Amino acid sequence: MLVAERKGMHMLYTVKEVSELSKVTVKTLHHYHKIGLLLPSRISEAGYRLYGEKELERLQQILFYRELDIPLENIKRLLGEEPERSLILTRQKELLLARKERLEQLIRTIERSLVHAVKGERMETKELFRGFADAEEWGQALSEQNRYLKEKYDYDMLENNPIEPEALNEEAREAVRFLKGMAGALKKGVKHSGEEVGSLIRQKHIEFLTAHGHDTTPASFAATARFFLNDDFHRGMLEAQQTGLAYYLCSAAESFAAQSG
């Protein structure tokens, strides 16, 4: 329980209590104070830093900007330029939504890249970097996965493939839609072998891939899903989105393949 000090009708919190509330370390809060980014409301007679509602709101705004990887010195400037909390939050929402869209694009592209990786195929030039604003961003985002594939499977998905963001962006969006649909079915307790999941696999994913020039069959899709489940890196990627998703996807894909003959 917080041992917050009352000052009139307002609560004041110690740096330790703010740390517990925000999950920001005491050391970091001290640093924010030192650089003038987040000053306490006042210092108690015993020397404790005390923070009020306005300071907690400012800390929230700082953390939103940190999620966008904005340097502390820039955050200090931005908060100074936009004194109204509503304006700051509106801008941060816009930035976070843009980041969300970018991350969804990356997830979709990674999923398509993995399909090609497990089949030992190179992606077509127009597909490899769809969804990224430019080649540099694609290279940075896929570098960890590509390094893993090279070390474990001796497969370089980036080798000699020029970047064409638009094509990759379309397939990236499809991958996110599909995985969201599968995660939703899992949450609702939909049977993995049922028609709803089968339609999602067939109509929302395999038919899309086939229409975009990929020879994806129920059997090859099931093999890919099995690879995702057995490989630590890719299983972790799916499980991070929804606990049990890797297992559910594999079971659903293999059931769909069996039903498809």
Side-chain angles (χ1 to χ4, degrees):
M1 179 180 296
L2 297 178
V3 188
E5 174 185 329
R6 284 190 177 276
K7 183 182 180 184
M9 296 299 294
H10 302 288
M11 299 292 288
L12 292 176
Y13 301 86
T14 66
V15 69
K16 180 180 179 181
E17 291 168 342
V18 173
S19 176
E20 292 173 353
L21 282 168
S22 65
K23 311 305 179 186
V24 175
T25 66
V26 171
K27 182 178 180 180
T28 297
L29 291 171
H30 286 172
H31 179 63
Y32 288 173
H33 182 190
K34 181 179 179 180
I35 65 176
L37 180 59
L38 179 66
L39 303 178
S41 174
R42 68 184 183 87
I43 305 295
S44 72
E45 293 181 0
Y48 292 106
R49 296 175 174 87
L50 299 176
Y51 299 81
E53 181 178 347
K54 289 184 178 180
E55 289 72 41
L56 294 182
E57 289 178 349
R58 183 177 175 90
L59 176 58
Q60 181 201 51
Q61 293 162 354
I62 292 169
L63 296 180
F64 279 141
Y65 276 134
R66 291 299 289 154
E67 286 294 325
L68 293 163
D69 300 322
I70 296 177
L72 295 179
E73 58 269 25
N74 291 355
I75 294 175
K76 185 177 180 180
R77 175 179 55 79
L78 288 167
L79 292 178
E81 292 174 352
E82 301 179 44
E84 293 295 328
R85 176 168 167 79
S86 61
L87 295 177
I88 295 173
L89 292 174
T90 298
R91 177 55 178 160
Q92 289 178 326
K93 179 181 178 181
E94 293 173 352
L95 293 171
L96 287 169
L97 286 174
R99 169 65 64 86
K100 176 176 178 287
E101 175 63 21
R102 173 60 58 80
L103 292 176
E104 288 177 344
Q105 292 174 357
L106 296 182
I107 292 171
R108 291 189 292 263
T109 299
I110 286 174
E111 196 272 348
R112 282 300 308 131
S113 299
L114 291 173
V115 170
H116 282 76
V118 72
K119 293 170 68 175
E121 298 177 351
R122 287 178 56 188
M123 294 178 71
E124 295 181 12
T125 298
K126 66 179 183 179
E127 300 174 355
L128 187 57
F129 295 103
R130 182 181 299 170
F132 281 87
D134 54 45
E136 182 179 358
E137 288 178 321
W138 271 105
Q140 291 174 352
L142 295 176
S143 61
E144 181 180 355
Q145 181 197 9
N146 195 50
R147 181 168 57 252
Y148 173 83
L149 291 172
K150 286 194 294 184
E151 292 176 355
K152 188 164 185 177
Y153 300 103
D154 193 27
Y155 176 80
D156 190 338
M157 66 179 179
L158 301 180
E159 185 179 16
N160 301 319
N161 285 279
I163 298 169
E164 293 189 9
E166 292 184 4
L168 286 173
N169 185 44
E170 184 178 359
E171 292 193 6
R173 282 194 294 268
E174 157 58 21
V176 166
R177 283 194 296 266
F178 172 69
L179 290 177
K180 280 186 175 180
M182 293 298 293
L186 173 58
K187 287 180 181 179
K188 292 188 297 183
V190 177
K191 189 174 182 181
H192 72 275
S193 57
E195 177 60 27
E196 181 179 340
V197 172
S199 295
L200 181 63
I201 294 174
R202 180 180 66 256
Q203 298 175 7
K204 301 298 184 181
H205 201 56
I206 292 182
E207 289 182 3
F208 173 91
L209 296 176
T210 301
H212 286 75
H214 304 292
D215 184 20
T216 304
T217 66
S220 66
F221 181 72
T224 299
R226 172 60 60 180
F227 169 76
F228 289 170
L229 177 61
N230 291 332
D231 183 83
D232 292 342
F233 181 92
H234 302 104
R235 183 177 62 252
M237 180 184 70
L238 291 172
E239 292 298 294
Q241 182 169 340
Q242 171 65 38
T243 301
L245 181 57
Y247 301 88
Y248 185 75
L249 176 63
C250 183
S251 297
E254 291 182 339
S255 177
F256 179 77
Q259 294 173 16
S260 300

